[in-house]
Amino acid sequence: MFKKNLKLLDFALLMSFLNFLFFHLPFFTFVFNKADHKSLSGVTIIISLIILMLVLNSLLFYLILFLSRFAGKSLLVLFFIINSIAVYFINTYSVIIDESMIGNIFNTNYQESSSFFSFKLILYIVLLGIIPAIYIIKAKITTPTLKKFSVTSSLTLLLITILIFANASNWLWIDKNSKTLGGLAMPWSYSVNIALFYVHKSQKNEKEILLPKATIKDNKKSVVVLVIGESARSQNFSLNGYGKNTNPLLSKTPNVFSFKATSCATYTTAGVKCILEPTSSDDLYEILPNYLYRNDVEVIWRTTNWGEPPVHIKNYQTRENLAADCKGEGCNYDEILLSGLKEQILASKKNKILIVLHTSTSHGPTYSKKYPPRFETFKPVCNSVELGNCSQTELINAYDNTIIYTDYILHNVIEDLKQLKEFNSAMLFVSDHGESLGEKNLYMHGIPLSIAPKEQYEIPFIVWVSDNSKQLKPKPDQILSQNNVFHSVLNFLGIQSPVYNEGMNIFK
């Protein structure tokens, strides 16, 4: 098998065919479902994309291997291994490997990535990645002359050009679906989007653009606890009309108001940034905690999550920081964020306090491990990381239990704030984005916002205020946004600022 010398063109064609066979079922499933395969136009699109995929990849592999055998083989090995991982996640979670998904991957920590580990993933890597990689390394290839290489490349480019212009009538269809097509084409989905991610990142300002100076208007003791939810979607909150009672405590709590809202994005990094900035922007403006801290407000950030913009404050506390003084079962879950919180507020020497609790309660795929066993109200639950292996009932039960646990955490925040009699207190709960739970065969989040289903961007916005502090402006059916948070916190704490927008403030 390895003794026979292969011509470079034959080897490039073989690699393109294997790449097509192993990694492009999702690509062509999408094409087949979207194109009208019963019409001549649809058939033309499907056949043309198959030929283009095979020919274009062959040409690129041919070029790379001709320029450098070692570099070419190394890249092919890398492509097959990464392709095997990528197509596992595409098949298992219906993700699209676009630029925002690349950002998600680079912001993933070990704890999150390890939750995706499964035997099926290992099979994908071994069968579709490692075994082909061994063959690639051992294959013996003969290199053509420069003249033959030039002729072959020129004819291939001519064929590609003819195919492209022959599909001129289908360009509109291809442009309309380009984001998904580009996110499913291996290995160029992640190759191109990694390059785009770093290009766009280099074009963005790395240093925060500082906001104009703010002024504290009064000395009244005020505290806001902003709870940033993780993957919480509004339709599973009984406060928003969900059929199952997922808010047994908040539904009985006076001064709790629940609104529907939309997120700026479907992934954590952009969602959290949007919650903390005055208006949605691609630029990195000074975020709320940094802004208030710089203007003499006490700011405390507690997190069991990741992916937030740079936070420049004194009291930034992670799970590890909080674990030392936490006791009990809840310390293994998001309750750790409440450990000693009331005492920390009372110890402050400042009159204006912002607390940010960045939770991870509803992050998949291991929903059933995000809450203590006593909160497993709905059964049976999904315990697999391969969500498609569970029934939708099991999956939604596990997810709904995370909402019940969120309800418990928010209730405890409110109970702590009620005891601070000297303070005007408020709690705001806003999620970074929503979550798909098998609807349209989609799971979790991260689909580009332009094509994302509503489950991934419709989020809860829950507010509690202490007696005699503030009333709310929005009507119950008004849809809010994540940007309402910045201006509402400024208003509640009595902070005057040139960037304050009364129209985005929810308090009277």
Side-chain angles (χ1 to χ4, degrees), residues 257-260 461 463 470-481 484 488 502-508:
F257 305 89
S258 181
F259 304 93
K260 292 182 179 179
F461 195 121
V463 183
K470 290 274 188 180
Q471 292 182 315
L472 274 70
K473 292 193 298 184
K475 296 178 181 179
D477 59 348
Q478 186 171 337
I479 297 176
L480 303 180
S481 78
N484 285 107
S488 303
E502 175 59 31
M504 296 296 291
N505 162 46
I506 65 171
F507 298 112
K508 291 182 180 178

Side-chain angles (χ1 to χ4, degrees), residues 233 235-237 242 244-246 362 367 371 375 377-378 393-406 437:
R233 66 185 202 180
Q235 71 186 68
N236 287 60
F237 281 69
Y242 187 47
K244 293 157 73 174
N245 187 13
T246 52
S362 297
Y367 304 111
Y371 52 84
F375 288 91
T377 304
F378 303 112
T393 298
E394 292 171 330
L395 182 56
I396 291 175
N397 281 346
Y399 181 82
D400 285 344
N401 291 334
T402 72
I403 305 302
I404 288 181
Y405 187 48
T406 297
L437 298 173

